[in-house]
Amino acid sequence: MRQDEIEEIFAALGPVSVRRMFGGQGVYHQSLMVGVEFSGELLLKTDDITAPAFEAAGSRRWTYQRKTGKPVPMSYWTIPADAWDDPDLMADWVRLAFAAALRAREK
């Protein structure tokens, strides 16, 4: 996914920076990671408060596979399908990702 595409998705937050990491890209707003992109798939930051909304919207949780084969659930979920065609809805989801990142910083 190109940087300009990522910036458009996160436009509701304002400026974002995109940095390469682990074969993908991290998406940052105000120095907080709000999303990751791997193999063309964009995932948003969640926490215990926001993850249920992502799950209810049909999103999938990103799970990292350790070398031992043991899955490790991460705090990133796919963007709900209906948000891709609705900029206002996309804005709601990226704002939830930023709110989760803010709470994570407080911990």
Side-chain angles (χ1 to χ4, degrees), residues 7-20:
E7 289 171 349
E8 183 178 334
I9 290 165
F10 287 90
L13 296 181
V16 295
S17 60
V18 180
R19 301 180 206 153
R20 292 203 178 279

Side-chain angles (χ1 to χ4, degrees), residues 68-79:
T68 62
K70 182 178 180 181
V72 179
M74 304 299 285
S75 61
Y76 293 88
W77 288 68
T78 58
I79 296 172

Side-chain angles (χ1 to χ4, degrees), residues 28-74:
Y28 297 82
H29 177 64
Q30 297 181 5
S31 301
L32 298 173
M33 185 180 272
V34 294
V36 294
E37 183 270 333
F38 288 106
S39 301
E41 183 170 54
L42 193 58
L43 304 139
L44 298 178
K45 173 80 173 155
T46 66
D47 60 10
D48 292 342
I49 295 170
T50 58
F54 280 81
E55 184 173 25
S59 295
R60 284 182 297 100
R61 186 175 195 171
W62 178 42
T63 303
Y64 173 79
Q65 295 291 331
R66 290 189 178 186
K67 290 182 181 180
T68 62
K70 182 178 180 181
V72 179
M74 304 299 285

